[in-house]
Amino acid sequence: MKLPMPLLLTVLLAPAANACTLAPVKPSFTGTDIASVTYQQGIRQDSEEPFIRALVLYKDSDMAVVESRSCEMENYSVNYFSTQGGTDSARIQALLAPSPLSKVTLAKPLLAQLPKKPGLQDLSDDVTYAQGQVELLVSNQSLDDALTPFRTLVSVSIALGGAD
């Protein structure tokens, strides 16, 4: 079968279809302290991974941005912005509940390993995952000098899978 030239060029020049083997998980959040949850779904331009992002607004003006994206690896990140400063352990645990964190074994509980002072901690060497690679990063940042209503930002990022 011979294809007409314009159709042949379209087929040859079209980007390859996204051959993802995993789909992002839509995280669900409820609680009496949550004012609203808004979702956004799409494809990241930098990695062409499908994502689902949740914006969680709390009644005390704290905010969290949670992103689940997956293609060949499971990626899940939480960015919790606090107006009071510090770490709200119960909220961070609830934000991490839909994450793939339950698939790994941690040397110590995650929240005990969050930096007490501003800084980044790579916990990847303290985590085991039988099905492939794992990357686990946690950080605590002071936002006191930023032009924002937030005083601290606590971030957790986990990536599972991929080749060893």
Side-chain angles (χ1 to χ4, degrees), residues 109-127:
L110 177 67
L111 295 179
Q113 298 183 72
L114 285 174
K116 302 297 181 220
K117 297 177 183 175
L120 172 71
Q121 185 77 25
D122 184 347
L123 303 178
S124 302
D125 291 338
D126 300 326
V127 181

Side-chain angles (χ1 to χ4, degrees), residues 44 65-69 75-79 95-96 99-100 155-158:
R44 287 178 60 121
V65 179
V66 178
E67 184 175 272
S68 171
R69 63 183 198 280
N75 296 287
Y76 191 91
S77 62
V78 170
N79 291 294
L95 294 167
L96 287 170
S99 79
S155 299
V156 179
S157 176
I158 184 166

